[in-house]
Amino acid sequence: MSRTAAFNFTFAASSKSMKRPHPNSSSRNSGRLISWLEELGATGLENITIREGEGGGLGVFAAKKIAPQSTIYQCPTSAVAITADNALNDPIVGPPLRSLRSQMDKHEVVIVYLLYYWVNVGSTNNDPYVADLIAQSDELMASLPKFWPPKELELLGGTSSRVKLRAQGIYLREFHNRVVDKLTLEHPSIFPAAKFTIEALQRAHATYWSRAITVPTTSRNKPQLAMTPLFDLFNHANCPSSSGNRVSIVEGDDTKYKMVSASGIEIGEEIFINYGSKGNEDLLRSFGFVLENNPVNVVELDLRLSGECEWSEERLGLLESAAQGVIPENKWLRPVLFSGGGLPQKFLPALRILCAKGEMELAAAVNDAIENGLDEGKRIDGEKKGGGEDEFDWDKVDWASGDPFFEANCQAENSPCGTEFERRTLRVAISFLDKTLENLPTKILNGNGEFEKGSRSWMASVYVEGERALIHEARDMLLNLQEKL
C-alpha cells in the first residue's frame, strides 16, 4: 500500500526503523535529482543530504541544524508530474487512457503513466527522477517477496501475506490483459508491446506502491496520490504520534509542497517519515522491509479454512444479509487481528452462523450477527435484543415455540446464543486458530539469531513470529471466554 498518511509524517532520531533498499549506484542518480530539483525552483535542499546510513541503505539526513517549526524542504508542484490528472490530460498518453478510463482506477492510471515515462526515459522532462526510480528498482524488487526465489518464498507459507501475493500475481496478469494489451494493440506507436510487457508492468506496479505519496491539492479540494520527487526518499520510522515530533506536508496554493519540522533536528540525524499505521505484512509486501516488535501488526484470518463449519449457500447468504449487502469475504469471512485490539467484532458472530445446529440456534446466531452488522431491520424476530442484562426476562419466553425459554436463557446466561452453543462455537474458533498456527512455517521458529539482519530469511522470521504472536493472543482470549462459561 502507498503512504496515504502523508499529511502527518513523523520526524525521529530513533533507530527503530528500516530502510528501503537502494543500490550503491543510486547516489549518482540522486545527485542528478537534486540538481534537477534546484533548476525547477526547489528550496531547502541545502538543509539535507542523501547518503547511506548505518543500515546500509540510502536515507535523507540533516546537513545543518534545523530549528523547530521551520521548513526542511520545499518542492514546486511542477516537479510532481506523474499523477492521474496529468496522465489523463497528457497530449500523447491522455486520449488512449481516457478511452479506457472506465476500466481503470486512479492507481492503475498512474502505473501505466509511470511505465510510459519509464519506457521513454531519456526523452522526457522528468528524466532525472525517472532515472532515479529505475536505478533503485532492481534492489527494490529483490527485497519484495513477490520476486523472491521459490525456496525463500516458502518461508512465508501459511501466512496471510502468501495468500495476498498469489492474489496480486493474478491481479497483475488480469490488469495487463484488461488494459495494457489493449493499449499496445490499439496504440502501438505509443505503447509498443515489446516494452509494455507483464514484467515491465510488475516493476512499475512495485515502484508505484513503494514510492507513491498522497499530496494535498487546493484546486480539487482533496489529496491525490502521486510520484513525488525526494519526498519519497525519506525512510520510515514507526514513531508514536504522541511524541510531538511531527513533520508535515502542508497544503499550499497548488504551487508547492513543503515539509516542516515540529521539533529541532541536529546535524547528521536522519529524517524519517511515517508511512502510516502499517503492520509487517504490509511493509514487507509493499516496501520490502519489516520492523521488529511492530506495535501495529495485523493478521487477516480466513474463516474458509475452518473445516468444522457448514459452508452451505444458505449460511453464506445469511452472512451476506447480516453484512448489509457487503460481500461476506470482505467483512465476515476475513476478520483482522491486531495487537491489543481484542477479538474482531465479526469473528464470533460469523462462526455462530456457520456452527449453528437447528432453526432455533440459527435464528439466534443471525440476530446476533445482525446486531454486530448494525442493522436492526434485518433481525429475524423483528425485535431489538436485550441490552446484555443478566436477569431472566419473562417477556422473552415464547410459549408457541418448540423451545419457549431459548432466547430468555440466552440473555440470562450472558451468552448471545446459549451456553452450549457458545461452547461449541468457541471450540471451533480455538480449533481454527490452532490450524492456522499449524500452517505457519516452523522451520524459522528459532530463526532470529541465525540470519543476518535485513536478509530475506530474517525478514520472513520477524514477520511470521509477529503473526504467530497475534494469533496466540487471540487464542488466549478465546480460552479465557471458554473458562467463563
Side-chain angles (χ1 to χ4, degrees):
M1 299 182 71
S2 65
R3 286 163 269 175
T4 55
F7 292 105
N8 292 300
F9 289 166
T10 304
F11 159 75
S14 168
S15 61
K16 294 182 180 179
S17 65
M18 182 63 66
K19 307 184 188 307
R20 294 190 315 274
H22 303 277
N24 292 332
S25 62
S26 184
S27 297
R28 180 178 63 256
N29 289 289
S30 295
R32 291 179 55 201
L33 175 65
I34 293 293
S35 298
W36 173 69
L37 288 169
E38 286 178 335
E39 292 174 2
L40 290 176
T43 59
L45 292 167
E46 70 279 2
N47 294 327
I48 58 177
T49 182
I50 303 171
R51 61 175 174 82
E52 281 194 8
E54 295 180 359
L58 288 182
V60 181
F61 294 78
K64 58 191 296 186
K65 187 172 182 177
I66 300 173
Q69 301 296 334
S70 62
T71 298
I72 300 173
Y73 162 66
Q74 184 168 288
C75 171
T77 55
S78 58
V80 185
I82 307 177
T83 68
D85 286 347
N86 287 344
L88 295 171
N89 292 315
D90 187 284
I92 298 174
V93 179
L97 292 182
R98 289 197 298 272
S99 70
L100 294 176
R101 183 64 182 93
S102 63
Q103 301 178 42
M104 292 187 289
D105 63 27
K106 61 182 180 180
H107 305 297
E108 292 172 336
V109 171
V110 181
I111 290 170
V112 173
Y113 199 37
L114 173 61
L115 183 52
Y116 170 78
Y117 267 101
W118 208 304
V119 167
N120 290 281
V121 66
S123 59
T124 72
N125 293 331
N126 293 276
D127 281 349
Y129 179 49
V130 176
D132 189 61
L133 294 175
I134 293 174
Q136 298 179 46
S137 65
D138 285 340
E139 195 76 8
L140 169 66
M141 293 177 69
S143 69
L144 297 176
K146 178 170 54 177
F147 305 104
W148 288 4
K151 185 176 181 181
E152 291 180 315
L153 198 55
E154 290 176 4
L155 297 173
L156 302 179
T159 64
S160 56
S161 181
R162 188 71 183 94
V163 174
K164 291 181 180 179
L165 287 170
R166 293 192 191 98
Q168 188 178 75
I170 295 171
Y171 157 74
L172 283 170
R173 288 190 292 273
E174 184 273 334
F175 178 20
H176 193 271
N177 294 337
R178 168 170 44 88
V179 173
V180 181
D181 273 352
K182 290 182 180 180
L183 291 172
T184 59
L185 287 172
E186 297 174 8
H187 308 277
S189 61
I190 303 174
F191 304 98
K195 294 185 177 180
F196 283 79
T197 62
I198 182 65
E199 292 78 17
L201 180 63
Q202 288 174 335
R203 187 179 292 263
H205 180 271
T207 299
Y208 173 75
W209 285 112
S210 69
R211 301 286 292 267
I213 287 178
T214 301
V215 292
T217 62
T218 56
S219 62
R220 298 185 63 194
N221 198 32
K222 62 180 180 180
Q224 64 174 331
L225 209 58
M227 305 297 296
T228 311
L230 194 58
F231 283 109
D232 58 6
L233 282 178
F234 289 81
N235 286 310
H236 172 73
N238 207 2
C239 301
S241 58
S242 60
S243 66
N245 296 323
R246 310 293 294 176
V247 174
S248 302
I249 292 178
V250 180
E251 287 194 43
D253 54 6
D254 266 0
T255 63
K256 59 185 176 297
Y257 306 125
K258 62 181 179 179
M259 183 178 287
V260 296
S261 175
S263 59
I265 307 174
E266 297 297 322
I267 296 176
E269 286 187 331
E270 183 170 5
I271 306 170
F272 296 101
I273 62 176
N274 185 275
Y275 297 174
S277 298
K278 297 183 183 297
N280 280 339
E281 187 273 327
D282 199 353
L283 291 175
L284 180 59
R285 185 164 47 88
S286 297
F287 302 100
F289 68 85
V290 296
L291 297 176
E292 293 180 281
N293 304 313
N294 190 338
V296 292
N297 269 339
V298 298
V299 178
E300 186 177 63
L301 302 173
D302 188 352
L303 294 184
R304 291 169 297 186
L305 298 179
S306 174
E308 303 180 58
C309 297
E310 181 179 330
W311 294 103
S312 66
E313 291 298 322
E314 176 196 12
R315 298 297 174 96
L316 292 177
L318 289 171
L319 277 175
E320 184 170 6
S321 175
Q324 306 173 55
V326 179
I327 298 174
E329 286 80 358
N330 290 348
K331 288 292 184 181
W332 293 90
L333 300 183
R334 305 191 72 89
V336 175
L337 302 174
F338 55 95
S339 183
L343 293 171
Q345 181 187 14
K346 294 176 174 59
F347 179 50
L348 288 177
L351 281 178
R352 290 183 188 113
I353 288 181
L354 298 171
C355 294
K357 294 182 179 180
E359 293 183 3
M360 295 296 296
E361 285 189 354
L362 185 57
V366 170
N367 287 338
D368 170 64
I370 289 172
E371 266 199 4
N372 281 278
L374 305 178
D375 189 349
E376 282 293 324
K378 293 180 179 177
R379 285 182 46 78
I380 285 181
D381 59 13
E383 299 177 8
K384 184 176 176 62
K385 278 182 70 72
E389 301 89 346
D390 293 336
E391 300 176 0
F392 190 87
D393 186 355
W394 283 94
D395 290 336
K396 296 291 184 181
V397 177
D398 182 4
W399 297 106
S401 170
D403 185 353
F405 298 98
F406 181 83
E407 187 165 346
N409 285 333
C410 288
Q411 180 176 299
E413 291 164 349
N414 198 26
S415 173
C417 301
T419 301
E420 288 304 317
F421 183 14
E422 192 72 356
R423 285 173 179 160
R424 187 186 333 124
T425 302
L426 291 174
R427 283 196 299 269
V428 171
I430 293 168
S431 176
F432 163 70
L433 292 185
D434 286 341
K435 182 178 180 180
T436 304
L437 287 168
E438 290 173 6
N439 288 337
L440 293 179
T442 57
K443 65 179 69 176
I444 56 173
L445 269 172
N446 300 311
N448 282 359
E450 301 175 8
F451 307 122
E452 178 184 356
K453 187 171 183 178
S455 68
R456 292 166 178 163
S457 297
W458 178 85
M459 290 192 293
S461 177
V462 171
Y463 162 59
V464 170
E465 293 314 305
E467 190 156 300
R468 197 188 313 275
L470 280 181
I471 297 172
H472 274 296
E473 183 179 314
R475 188 180 185 276
D476 289 342
M477 284 186 274
L478 291 171
L479 289 173
N480 185 49
L481 290 175
Q482 195 177 53
E483 290 175 0
K484 291 179 178 179
L485 289 177

